[in-house]
Each structure stands twice: as structure tokens, then as C-alpha cells.
Amino acid sequence: MSTRLAHAYKKTIPTLSKQNGAAQKLLAFASLIMLVLIFSISSSNFFQFDNLIAIMLSTAVIGVLALGSTFVIITSGIDLAVGTVMTFSSVMAGVIITTWQLPMPLGIVGGILTGAVCGLISGLLVAKMKIPPFIATLAMMMVTKGLSLVISGTKPIYFNDTPAFTKISMGSLVSDIFPGVEIPNAILVFFGAAIIASIILTKTIIGRYNFALGSNEESTRLSGVNVDYWKIVIYTLTGVFSGIAGIMMASRLNSAQPALGSGYELEAIAAVVIGGTSLSGGKGSILGTVIGALIMSVLTNGLRILSVKQEWQTVIVGIVIVLAVYADMMRRRKK
């Protein structure tokens, strides 16, 4: 690496301690604990093993989508297509495994590659054609939503002839080691993906440029960094996580549901923002996103256990998102 680029790192990229926002993560974690305590006191059914597993299982898919969204949002971009790309990836996996009768591993790889290609195209639209991320990914959302319906014939694709596929999410490797402890594999996949995402963000050049783009894109460009290339890489990476989420969702439902996916992008973005990642870019962490995803799931699950009506659940979640964004604005004004 040239001296010029090394100097650019020092100028452009703040220290990890500042970027990660330790105080914000601590606040998010405290909020999570507070919600758990409130719902545990309010209902004896909340703090039970089966319900906690249900919370973690509901977190898994949204959490993986949120992991991918974290990378894009740190660049001050947005990806509205993560939900429908997830669906399209699951449909393609279903076609490969059931229609083309190819081995299951090829279907899994094909589904993840589908997500990567969609992310790559979104990145090209943003980086090369200079289309605003909101418009580019909105277009990708519509395209993948339509393709899912066209390719599947608007009908679900079932994996009844591939029973091993369901075990990807609903099997339990833990119970094989510790009989009686039924922890679905989807939870392990989620935390495994979170560890990998954290390493990428904090220990690799992708993560360094990720923060650089969000902190000051023009300064990064003038430093000699190929900004367009790294934007494409980051959007492609987001697509990979969407592909993984698609495989997990299809495995959990034992089917690829072509009409599923719309709305998932909003939950993923909410989890990222609640976890402390700034919509203005340059700040965020994977740990914060994991906590944010858990807060979303705990809040939804707790309200459901308390028999709060669905429409009011939506209102409350919306208020939480507004408060999280407002808190981020206040922090930036103080700085």
C-alpha cells in the first residue's frame, strides 16, 4: 500500500472506538435488558425457554438482512431491495433444487449467488450510473419482486422431496451434542454470520473503506481510492447476506414463497438504526445491529404476548424507530 493511501487512512478514518460508538451500544443493550425485564414482569409466559427460542428464531432472518444493510447504511446509502432479493434468492434456490433437480448444495450456492448478483447490479446502478441509492434499490426491489412471481408462476415452491433442506434452519446441531436442548440451526447461522460480518467490518480493507466512504466520500476519492469499485463491493456483500437470509427463510417455511419479502427491508433498516448505525453514514457496528434486531423481536413478541392489537404493535414499533433516529440526530448535533 502506498504512503499516500496510508496517510489517507489516518486522515479519513477515525479510530474504531469512536466509530463503533461504545456508548450507543451500551444504551441499546440497556434498552434490550429493560424490555426483557418489563415483559417478564408483565407476563409469566415471556421468560420461558420456548418463547426465548421463538424470539431468537424470529430474529434470525431479519437479523441477517440487517447485517447486510449495516454495510450500505454506513456508507450513507440505503438498500430497499434486501427483502425482495431475499425472496428472489429463495425462489431461485427452489427452482434449482426442485425444478432442475440439481443437488441441494448447488441450490444453496445458487440462491446466495442470486443475492450477490442483485447486489452487484444495485452497486453498478449507484456507482457507475450515479442513480441515487434510494431510486436504484427501489427499482431493484420492484424487479426482483416481479421476477419472483414470474419464475415461480406465482405459486410457492415446496421442498418436500428434499427433507434435508428444512434442517438448514429448523434442524438442531446443538441437540445432537446436548440431547434435549433444541436450538434451531437458524440461530447458529445468524450468530455465525454476525461474527463474519464483524470481522469484515473491523478487520479488513472492506470495512476500512466502508467507514471512509460514509465519513467523507469526496476526501476518500481525492486520496486515490477507487470509490466506485468499493461501493459495488459493498452492495454486492449486502446482496450475499440477502441470499443467505433467503435460504434460511425457505428452509424455515419448507417452501419458497414468491409473494413474501415486502416490508422486511423496513424491519432490517429499523434494526440497524436502533442499533446505533447513523443514517448519515460513517458510524455503526455489527454488535449494535444484532442488539437492534433483538430489540425489534423482543418488542414484537412481548406486545403479542400482552395481547396488544396488531395495528398498535405497528404504531409502537414506528415510534421506537422515530426515537432512535431522533437520538442519532441529537448526538450528531452535539458533536
Side-chain angles (χ1 to χ4, degrees):
M1 183 178 295
S2 66
T3 304
R4 186 182 182 187
L5 284 180
H7 181 69
Y9 277 149
K10 295 179 181 179
K11 287 286 186 179
T12 308
I13 304 172
T15 61
L16 285 175
S17 60
K18 291 183 180 179
Q19 292 291 351
N20 287 343
Q24 172 60 24
K25 286 186 288 186
L26 185 60
L27 178 61
F29 184 70
S31 300
L32 175 61
I33 297 300
M34 182 180 68
L35 284 175
V36 171
L37 290 175
I38 290 173
F39 289 129
S40 297
I41 294 172
S42 301
S43 174
S44 59
N45 295 323
F46 180 83
F47 204 77
Q48 294 183 358
F49 181 78
D50 288 345
N51 190 57
L52 294 179
I53 291 297
I55 291 173
M56 295 302 301
L57 191 58
S58 66
T59 304
V61 172
I62 294 298
V64 171
L65 287 178
L67 294 176
S69 297
T70 303
F71 289 92
V72 170
I73 293 176
I74 287 176
T75 67
S76 75
I78 198 76
D79 192 341
L80 298 177
V82 291
T84 54
V85 169
M86 173 191 74
T87 302
F88 186 43
S89 298
S90 67
V91 167
M92 288 306 301
V95 169
I96 293 170
I97 295 172
T98 64
T99 305
W100 298 350
Q101 296 291 309
L102 294 177
M104 187 179 75
L106 288 180
I108 295 172
V109 172
I112 295 174
L113 285 178
T114 297
V117 170
C118 292
L120 172 65
I121 295 172
S122 292
L124 288 170
L125 293 175
V126 173
K128 295 299 183 183
M129 297 182 67
K130 307 305 178 184
I131 299 175
F134 183 91
I135 302 300
T137 58
L138 178 63
M140 179 58 66
M141 179 179 73
M142 300 301 293
V143 169
T144 50
K145 182 178 181 179
L147 286 176
S148 296
L149 294 169
V150 170
I151 292 174
S152 66
T154 71
K155 298 179 181 178
I157 302 173
Y158 294 96
F159 297 92
N160 294 330
D161 295 332
T162 315
F165 187 77
T166 307
K167 294 182 180 179
I168 295 173
S169 287
M170 302 310 294
S172 179
L173 292 175
V174 175
S175 66
D176 294 338
I177 303 173
F178 303 101
V181 183
E182 296 288 339
I183 299 179
N185 291 334
I187 298 174
L188 303 182
V189 174
F190 169 47
F191 283 111
I195 292 171
I196 293 172
S198 182
I199 292 172
I200 293 173
L201 188 60
T202 61
K203 303 296 183 182
T204 70
I205 193 171
I206 296 176
R208 288 182 177 273
Y209 284 137
N210 204 168
F211 283 115
L213 289 173
S215 298
N216 193 326
E217 181 177 328
E218 187 59 27
S219 176
T220 304
R221 189 191 305 277
L222 293 175
S223 299
V225 176
N226 189 338
V227 169
D228 291 348
Y229 171 78
W230 289 106
K231 275 189 179 180
I232 294 170
V233 169
I234 290 166
Y235 276 90
T236 303
L237 182 61
T238 299
V240 169
F241 281 99
S242 296
I244 294 172
I247 299 299
M248 292 171 63
M249 177 62 81
S251 173
R252 180 180 173 183
L253 300 176
N254 195 35
S255 64
Q257 300 286 338
L260 194 66
S262 295
Y264 277 72
E265 69 282 345
L266 300 180
E267 293 188 43
I269 293 170
V272 175
V273 173
I274 290 173
T277 297
S278 176
L279 288 172
S280 62
K283 177 179 178 293
S285 71
I286 296 301
L287 178 57
T289 295
V290 171
I291 296 173
L294 287 170
I295 287 175
M296 291 286 291
S297 296
V298 167
L299 183 60
T300 302
N301 179 274
L303 293 174
R304 188 179 298 121
I305 284 181
L306 295 179
S307 300
V308 176
K309 293 182 178 180
Q310 180 64 47
E311 54 269 29
W312 281 109
Q313 292 182 30
T314 305
V315 170
I316 293 172
V317 171
I319 291 173
V320 170
I321 295 171
V322 169
L323 291 175
V325 174
Y326 182 72
D328 176 60
M329 292 171 59
M330 291 298 100
R331 286 194 303 272
R332 286 188 284 114
R333 287 179 183 177
K334 288 180 179 180
K335 290 181 180 179

PDB file of all heavy atoms in Angstrom, residues 153-170:
ATOM      1  N   GLY A 153     -44.242 -18.795 -11.201  1.00  0.00           N
ATOM      2  CA  GLY A 153     -45.616 -18.926 -11.669  1.00  0.00           C
ATOM      3  C   GLY A 153     -46.614 -18.485 -10.625  1.00  0.00           C
ATOM      4  O   GLY A 153     -47.760 -18.951 -10.616  1.00  0.00           O
ATOM      5  N   THR A 154     -46.190 -17.590  -9.750  1.00  0.00           N
ATOM      6  CA  THR A 154     -46.976 -17.035  -8.635  1.00  0.00           C
ATOM      7  C   THR A 154     -47.363 -18.096  -7.598  1.00  0.00           C
ATOM      8  O   THR A 154     -48.207 -17.847  -6.739  1.00  0.00           O
ATOM      9  CB  THR A 154     -48.266 -16.329  -9.130  1.00  0.00           C
ATOM     10  OG1 THR A 154     -49.196 -17.310  -9.603  1.00  0.00           O
ATOM     11  CG2 THR A 154     -47.959 -15.314 -10.223  1.00  0.00           C
ATOM     12  N   LYS A 155     -46.759 -19.269  -7.673  1.00  0.00           N
ATOM     13  CA  LYS A 155     -47.083 -20.345  -6.733  1.00  0.00           C
ATOM     14  C   LYS A 155     -45.870 -20.688  -5.863  1.00  0.00           C
ATOM     15  O   LYS A 155     -44.736 -20.603  -6.322  1.00  0.00           O
ATOM     16  CB  LYS A 155     -47.528 -21.595  -7.489  1.00  0.00           C
ATOM     17  CG  LYS A 155     -48.803 -21.409  -8.319  1.00  0.00           C
ATOM     18  CD  LYS A 155     -49.147 -22.683  -9.060  1.00  0.00           C
ATOM     19  CE  LYS A 155     -50.410 -22.496  -9.899  1.00  0.00           C
ATOM     20  NZ  LYS A 155     -50.743 -23.721 -10.672  1.00  0.00           N
ATOM     21  N   PRO A 156     -46.103 -21.082  -4.619  1.00  0.00           N
ATOM     22  CA  PRO A 156     -44.990 -21.489  -3.758  1.00  0.00           C
ATOM     23  C   PRO A 156     -44.254 -22.699  -4.316  1.00  0.00           C
ATOM     24  O   PRO A 156     -44.859 -23.553  -4.987  1.00  0.00           O
ATOM     25  CB  PRO A 156     -45.672 -21.838  -2.429  1.00  0.00           C
ATOM     26  CG  PRO A 156     -46.983 -21.136  -2.471  1.00  0.00           C
ATOM     27  CD  PRO A 156     -47.399 -21.127  -3.910  1.00  0.00           C
ATOM     28  N   ILE A 157     -42.971 -22.755  -4.068  1.00  0.00           N
ATOM     29  CA  ILE A 157     -42.152 -23.903  -4.462  1.00  0.00           C
ATOM     30  C   ILE A 157     -41.805 -24.676  -3.200  1.00  0.00           C
ATOM     31  O   ILE A 157     -41.141 -24.145  -2.307  1.00  0.00           O
ATOM     32  CB  ILE A 157     -40.865 -23.456  -5.178  1.00  0.00           C
ATOM     33  CG1 ILE A 157     -41.218 -22.629  -6.416  1.00  0.00           C
ATOM     34  CG2 ILE A 157     -40.013 -24.656  -5.555  1.00  0.00           C
ATOM     35  CD1 ILE A 157     -40.015 -22.010  -7.101  1.00  0.00           C
ATOM     36  N   TYR A 158     -42.260 -25.914  -3.115  1.00  0.00           N
ATOM     37  CA  TYR A 158     -42.074 -26.708  -1.898  1.00  0.00           C
ATOM     38  C   TYR A 158     -40.857 -27.628  -2.014  1.00  0.00           C
ATOM     39  O   TYR A 158     -40.527 -28.110  -3.097  1.00  0.00           O
ATOM     40  CB  TYR A 158     -43.327 -27.524  -1.598  1.00  0.00           C
ATOM     41  CG  TYR A 158     -44.530 -26.675  -1.249  1.00  0.00           C
ATOM     42  CD1 TYR A 158     -45.482 -26.336  -2.217  1.00  0.00           C
ATOM     43  CD2 TYR A 158     -44.692 -26.174   0.035  1.00  0.00           C
ATOM     44  CE1 TYR A 158     -46.583 -25.536  -1.900  1.00  0.00           C
ATOM     45  CE2 TYR A 158     -45.784 -25.377   0.363  1.00  0.00           C
ATOM     46  CZ  TYR A 158     -46.720 -25.060  -0.603  1.00  0.00           C
ATOM     47  OH  TYR A 158     -47.786 -24.268  -0.295  1.00  0.00           O
ATOM     48  N   PHE A 159     -40.242 -27.874  -0.871  1.00  0.00           N
ATOM     49  CA  PHE A 159     -39.048 -28.706  -0.815  1.00  0.00           C
ATOM     50  C   PHE A 159     -39.356 -30.064  -0.167  1.00  0.00           C
ATOM     51  O   PHE A 159     -38.521 -30.621   0.551  1.00  0.00           O
ATOM     52  CB  PHE A 159     -37.950 -27.999  -0.011  1.00  0.00           C
ATOM     53  CG  PHE A 159     -37.489 -26.713  -0.621  1.00  0.00           C
ATOM     54  CD1 PHE A 159     -38.084 -25.505  -0.260  1.00  0.00           C
ATOM     55  CD2 PHE A 159     -36.472 -26.690  -1.554  1.00  0.00           C
ATOM     56  CE1 PHE A 159     -37.661 -24.309  -0.811  1.00  0.00           C
ATOM     57  CE2 PHE A 159     -36.044 -25.496  -2.114  1.00  0.00           C
ATOM     58  CZ  PHE A 159     -36.644 -24.301  -1.749  1.00  0.00           C
ATOM     59  N   ASN A 160     -40.547 -30.597  -0.445  1.00  0.00           N
ATOM     60  CA  ASN A 160     -40.972 -31.852   0.191  1.00  0.00           C
ATOM     61  C   ASN A 160     -40.078 -33.029  -0.178  1.00  0.00           C
ATOM     62  O   ASN A 160     -39.934 -33.977   0.595  1.00  0.00           O
ATOM     63  CB  ASN A 160     -42.424 -32.161  -0.189  1.00  0.00           C
ATOM     64  CG  ASN A 160     -43.387 -31.128   0.375  1.00  0.00           C
ATOM     65  OD1 ASN A 160     -43.131 -30.547   1.425  1.00  0.00           O
ATOM     66  ND2 ASN A 160     -44.491 -30.873  -0.324  1.00  0.00           N
ATOM     67  N   ASP A 161     -39.490 -32.987  -1.378  1.00  0.00           N
ATOM     68  CA  ASP A 161     -38.625 -34.086  -1.811  1.00  0.00           C
ATOM     69  C   ASP A 161     -37.183 -33.916  -1.349  1.00  0.00           C
ATOM     70  O   ASP A 161     -36.325 -34.737  -1.675  1.00  0.00           O
ATOM     71  CB  ASP A 161     -38.662 -34.200  -3.349  1.00  0.00           C
ATOM     72  CG  ASP A 161     -40.042 -34.582  -3.865  1.00  0.00           C
ATOM     73  OD1 ASP A 161     -40.780 -35.258  -3.119  1.00  0.00           O
ATOM     74  OD2 ASP A 161     -40.389 -34.184  -5.001  1.00  0.00           O
ATOM     75  N   THR A 162     -36.931 -32.832  -0.619  1.00  0.00           N
ATOM     76  CA  THR A 162     -35.577 -32.585  -0.098  1.00  0.00           C
ATOM     77  C   THR A 162     -35.676 -32.295   1.390  1.00  0.00           C
ATOM     78  O   THR A 162     -35.514 -31.149   1.842  1.00  0.00           O
ATOM     79  CB  THR A 162     -34.930 -31.387  -0.828  1.00  0.00           C
ATOM     80  OG1 THR A 162     -35.153 -31.494  -2.225  1.00  0.00           O
ATOM     81  CG2 THR A 162     -33.423 -31.352  -0.580  1.00  0.00           C
ATOM     82  N   PRO A 163     -35.943 -33.327   2.195  1.00  0.00           N
ATOM     83  CA  PRO A 163     -36.144 -33.097   3.640  1.00  0.00           C
ATOM     84  C   PRO A 163     -34.937 -32.487   4.339  1.00  0.00           C
ATOM     85  O   PRO A 163     -35.088 -31.802   5.361  1.00  0.00           O
ATOM     86  CB  PRO A 163     -36.453 -34.507   4.176  1.00  0.00           C
ATOM     87  CG  PRO A 163     -35.921 -35.443   3.138  1.00  0.00           C
ATOM     88  CD  PRO A 163     -36.064 -34.746   1.832  1.00  0.00           C
ATOM     89  N   ALA A 164     -33.746 -32.722   3.781  1.00  0.00           N
ATOM     90  CA  ALA A 164     -32.543 -32.175   4.420  1.00  0.00           C
ATOM     91  C   ALA A 164     -32.509 -30.651   4.344  1.00  0.00           C
ATOM     92  O   ALA A 164     -31.855 -29.995   5.169  1.00  0.00           O
ATOM     93  CB  ALA A 164     -31.295 -32.754   3.756  1.00  0.00           C
ATOM     94  N   PHE A 165     -33.222 -30.085   3.380  1.00  0.00           N
ATOM     95  CA  PHE A 165     -33.205 -28.629   3.214  1.00  0.00           C
ATOM     96  C   PHE A 165     -33.812 -27.930   4.427  1.00  0.00           C
ATOM     97  O   PHE A 165     -33.330 -26.887   4.858  1.00  0.00           O
ATOM     98  CB  PHE A 165     -33.967 -28.244   1.942  1.00  0.00           C
ATOM     99  CG  PHE A 165     -33.871 -26.784   1.591  1.00  0.00           C
ATOM    100  CD1 PHE A 165     -32.722 -26.274   1.001  1.00  0.00           C
ATOM    101  CD2 PHE A 165     -34.918 -25.910   1.856  1.00  0.00           C
ATOM    102  CE1 PHE A 165     -32.624 -24.921   0.680  1.00  0.00           C
ATOM    103  CE2 PHE A 165     -34.841 -24.570   1.544  1.00  0.00           C
ATOM    104  CZ  PHE A 165     -33.693 -24.072   0.950  1.00  0.00           C
ATOM    105  N   THR A 166     -34.863 -28.515   4.980  1.00  0.00           N
ATOM    106  CA  THR A 166     -35.522 -27.918   6.144  1.00  0.00           C
ATOM    107  C   THR A 166     -34.595 -27.856   7.345  1.00  0.00           C
ATOM    108  O   THR A 166     -34.710 -26.967   8.196  1.00  0.00           O
ATOM    109  CB  THR A 166     -36.782 -28.716   6.507  1.00  0.00           C
ATOM    110  OG1 THR A 166     -37.601 -28.831   5.355  1.00  0.00           O
ATOM    111  CG2 THR A 166     -37.568 -28.031   7.612  1.00  0.00           C
ATOM    112  N   LYS A 167     -33.662 -28.792   7.419  1.00  0.00           N
ATOM    113  CA  LYS A 167     -32.772 -28.855   8.573  1.00  0.00           C
ATOM    114  C   LYS A 167     -31.777 -27.701   8.622  1.00  0.00           C
ATOM    115  O   LYS A 167     -31.160 -27.469   9.664  1.00  0.00           O
ATOM    116  CB  LYS A 167     -32.030 -30.196   8.577  1.00  0.00           C
ATOM    117  CG  LYS A 167     -32.935 -31.396   8.793  1.00  0.00           C
ATOM    118  CD  LYS A 167     -32.136 -32.688   8.830  1.00  0.00           C
ATOM    119  CE  LYS A 167     -33.052 -33.891   9.060  1.00  0.00           C
ATOM    120  NZ  LYS A 167     -32.290 -35.165   9.077  1.00  0.00           N
ATOM    121  N   ILE A 168     -31.618 -27.006   7.489  1.00  0.00           N
ATOM    122  CA  ILE A 168     -30.700 -25.864   7.487  1.00  0.00           C
ATOM    123  C   ILE A 168     -31.102 -24.863   8.558  1.00  0.00           C
ATOM    124  O   ILE A 168     -30.260 -24.334   9.289  1.00  0.00           O
ATOM    125  CB  ILE A 168     -30.688 -25.184   6.104  1.00  0.00           C
ATOM    126  CG1 ILE A 168     -30.127 -26.137   5.039  1.00  0.00           C
ATOM    127  CG2 ILE A 168     -29.871 -23.892   6.139  1.00  0.00           C
ATOM    128  CD1 ILE A 168     -30.232 -25.594   3.630  1.00  0.00           C
ATOM    129  N   SER A 169     -32.403 -24.601   8.669  1.00  0.00           N
ATOM    130  CA  SER A 169     -32.899 -23.653   9.671  1.00  0.00           C
ATOM    131  C   SER A 169     -33.500 -24.336  10.888  1.00  0.00           C
ATOM    132  O   SER A 169     -33.268 -23.929  12.022  1.00  0.00           O
ATOM    133  CB  SER A 169     -33.954 -22.727   9.053  1.00  0.00           C
ATOM    134  OG  SER A 169     -33.372 -21.781   8.197  1.00  0.00           O
ATOM    135  N   MET A 170     -34.277 -25.401  10.648  1.00  0.00           N
ATOM    136  CA  MET A 170     -35.067 -25.982  11.728  1.00  0.00           C
ATOM    137  C   MET A 170     -34.444 -27.214  12.367  1.00  0.00           C
ATOM    138  O   MET A 170     -34.967 -27.723  13.360  1.00  0.00           O
ATOM    139  CB  MET A 170     -36.462 -26.327  11.213  1.00  0.00           C
ATOM    140  CG  MET A 170     -37.214 -25.127  10.638  1.00  0.00           C
ATOM    141  SD  MET A 170     -37.209 -23.681  11.741  1.00  0.00           S
ATOM    142  CE  MET A 170     -38.170 -24.319  13.111  1.00  0.00           C
TER     143      MET A 170
END
